[in-house]
């Protein structure tokens, strides 16, 4: 007795699978840029705090009226900290922290919207194949433009793995690397959905 050959997948089934894959990818990209924005925000906030706190502390010390020797020590310490803060500020400008943070926020929001659009389309697909393809093409055009913009941001491999784990965790999907469904964002040694800093797992 021969086993019946399963029917070939319908074109709409192939489109739907592609839509689900794109939704997963958009979710992961949104997550990695959200994590990047948190890190950049932390650096920028610390930089701003240092810029205001050092002169304020010196002013308070002067107002208290410490002895000349003690005041000299405070001024030396403040000068050293001020020099470090100045170098840190210069590095933030060279590394474009502010611009990168703005892009990270924009990309996070856009990719979240794309993921939702893909999910709605996959959940409630049009019955007509041509209509389904056209609806997919509209979303994919926006997605393609956003991907081109994101590629210019030098996404690291660790960030890609974090984004993948976050997307798999959110959507309860199996990782193709370790064949497991992530139950948390805590990294493993998997080369597909792990191997990134634990501090990113928030």
């Amino acid at each position: 007795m021969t086993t019946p050959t399963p029917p070939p997948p319908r074109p709409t089934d192939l489109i739907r699978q592609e839509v689900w894959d794109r939704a997963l990818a958009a979710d992961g990209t949104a997550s990695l840029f959200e994590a990047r924005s948190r890190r950049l925000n932390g650096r920028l906030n610390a930089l701003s705090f240092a810029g205001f706190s050092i002169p304020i502390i010196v002013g308070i010390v002067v107002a208290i009226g410490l002895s000349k020797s003690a005041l000299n020590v405070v001024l030396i310490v403040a000068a050293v900290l001020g020099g470090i803060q100045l170098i840190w500020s210069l590095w933030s400008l060279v590394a474009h922290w502010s611009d990168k943070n703005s892009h990270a926020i924009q990309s996070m929001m856009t990719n979240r919207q794309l993921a939702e659009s893909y999910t709605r389309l996959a959940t409630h697909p049009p019955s007509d194949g041509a209509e389904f393809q056209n609806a997919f093409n509209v979303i994919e055009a926006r997605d393609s433009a956003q991907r081109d913009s994101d590629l210019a941001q030098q996404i690291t491999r660790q960030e890609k793995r974090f984004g993948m784990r976050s997307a798999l965790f959110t959507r309860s999907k199996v990782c193709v690397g370790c064949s497991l469904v992530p139950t948390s964002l805590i990294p493993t040694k998997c080369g597909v959905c792990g191997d990134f800093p634990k501090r990113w797992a928030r």
Side-chain angles (χ1 to χ4, degrees):
M1 182 177 178
T2 59
T3 304
T5 303
R10 297 175 300 173
T12 53
D13 292 336
L14 298 176
I15 299 173
R16 193 175 188 183
Q17 183 57 52
E18 178 68 15
V19 172
W20 279 122
D21 291 343
R22 294 298 179 88
L24 182 73
D27 253 346
T29 304
S31 294
L32 75 86
F33 276 111
E34 182 180 10
R36 178 182 284 192
S37 178
R38 282 200 303 266
R39 298 194 301 274
L40 290 170
N41 260 324
R43 297 174 190 173
L44 291 169
N45 289 338
L47 188 59
S48 297
F49 177 78
F52 283 104
S53 63
I54 294 173
I56 289 175
I57 292 173
V58 172
I60 292 173
V61 170
V62 172
I64 291 175
L66 294 179
S67 63
K68 186 176 181 180
S69 59
L71 182 59
N72 287 336
V73 172
V74 171
L75 291 176
I76 292 172
V77 173
V80 172
L81 294 177
I84 294 173
Q85 190 266 338
L86 183 62
I87 294 172
W88 196 10
S89 296
L90 180 61
W91 174 247
S92 73
L93 293 174
V94 172
H96 304 289
W97 287 356
S98 183
D99 292 340
K100 288 181 179 179
N101 187 43
S102 296
H103 182 277
I105 294 172
Q106 178 273 324
S107 179
M108 176 191 68
M109 296 173 62
T110 301
N111 276 289
R112 292 284 185 225
Q113 293 169 357
L114 288 167
E116 291 175 4
S117 296
Y118 279 130
T119 300
R120 284 196 300 269
L121 181 60
T123 305
H124 304 288
S127 56
D128 180 72
E131 184 180 351
F132 195 178
Q133 183 66 57
N134 289 336
F136 169 71
N137 290 342
V138 170
I139 304 173
E140 204 280 331
R142 292 168 49 213
D143 191 9
S144 178
Q146 185 60 48
R147 289 199 305 272
D148 289 342
S149 178
D150 291 339
L151 284 174
Q153 297 301 306
Q154 299 176 330
I155 301 173
T156 66
R157 292 182 179 179
Q158 286 184 328
E159 287 178 317
K160 290 179 180 179
R161 290 192 289 267
F162 171 80
M164 176 60 71
R165 187 169 189 84
S166 180
L168 294 173
F169 172 68
T170 300
R171 294 179 176 269
S172 299
K173 297 293 184 179
V174 176
C175 173
V176 298
C178 59
S179 301
L180 297 173
V181 177
T183 57
S184 72
L185 293 181
I186 298 175
T188 62
K189 294 182 179 180
C190 176
V192 176
C193 71
D195 192 17
F196 54 84
K198 289 184 178 180
R199 65 179 181 276
W200 293 3
R202 294 186 180 180

